[in-house]
Amino acid sequence: MNNLTNNDIVNKQLEIEKFIKFPLDVLLNPNVKNNEFDITTFEYIKKRVYTDIESIIEDPKKYSINKLLTYMCKDTESSINLNGYINDLNLITPTNLYEYYINMLEHDYVDIYIIGDLDMDKVSKIINKNFIILPPLNYFSNN
């Protein structure tokens, strides 16, 4: 027998709203100051990416796979290093990265997948209520 009370249902709905809002909030409300990403956070992440790129050279397996893809899949997406390149990384600033981010939000398509035994009409309403930048959602596939 299911002993859910009305409060349990309300609390469950509030939990669902929190779970839906969190990743979208992270995506749509980044740490930005004066039309650029926060410099401290940016420099920290940039240093981590730099370290990841540099570490490929120190790992023979990763290095050989990277070189193999570069030569065998030349001029295709597969030949591009997943971590990027130091030369490109050096060109990225908090300002130009933020400009790219805004351009992405305004012009790129984003698919949002929410999976579970949920009322998708309510999920759609939660997203539309909280995230004005996204076009209104009115279709969910139940596949």
Side-chain angles (χ1 to χ4, degrees):
M1 180 178 207
N2 193 349
N3 291 326
L4 280 178
T5 65
N6 202 22
N7 285 339
D8 291 333
I9 294 170
V10 169
N11 288 337
K12 183 178 177 186
Q13 188 62 35
L14 292 174
E15 290 291 316
I16 292 169
E17 187 161 353
K18 286 195 308 190
F19 289 124
I20 291 170
K21 286 175 67 172
F22 177 71
L24 293 173
D25 195 36
V26 169
L27 175 68
L28 298 174
N29 297 306
N31 191 3
V32 173
K33 296 175 184 164
N34 300 321
N35 291 321
E36 65 179 22
F37 286 111
D38 174 67
I39 190 73
T40 304
T41 306
F42 175 83
E43 290 299 331
Y44 174 77
I45 298 298
K46 189 172 181 177
K47 184 186 265 188
R48 280 186 39 201
V49 173
Y50 184 90
T51 302
D52 289 345
I53 295 170
E54 287 284 306
S55 72
I56 290 173
I57 296 169
E58 298 169 9
D59 184 334
K61 184 177 179 182
K62 286 182 184 178
Y63 183 77
S64 61
I65 290 171
N66 191 29
K67 286 297 181 187
L68 175 76
L69 290 172
T70 299
Y71 292 116
M72 287 192 67
C73 304
K74 191 173 184 172
D75 300 325
T76 70
E77 291 81 10
S78 296
S79 68
I80 300 171
N81 183 346
L82 293 176
N83 292 318
Y85 302 96
I86 298 293
N87 293 341
D88 295 333
L89 185 61
N90 290 333
L91 299 174
I92 299 172
T93 67
T95 303
N96 69 19
L97 184 60
Y98 181 68
E99 289 168 357
Y100 184 84
Y101 161 81
I102 292 298
N103 185 59
M104 178 205 66
L105 284 180
E106 291 174 349
H107 297 100
D108 292 355
Y109 289 101
V110 176
D111 292 325
I112 299 172
Y113 293 92
I114 299 175
I115 301 168
D117 185 18
L118 302 167
D119 180 341
M120 291 304 172
D121 289 330
K122 288 182 182 177
V123 170
S124 177
K125 287 176 185 170
I126 291 168
I127 293 172
N128 289 327
K129 178 178 94 174
N130 292 287
F131 303 100
I132 299 167
I133 194 167
L134 298 172
L137 299 174
N138 55 15
Y139 175 79
F140 281 98
S141 172
N142 290 324
N143 297 333

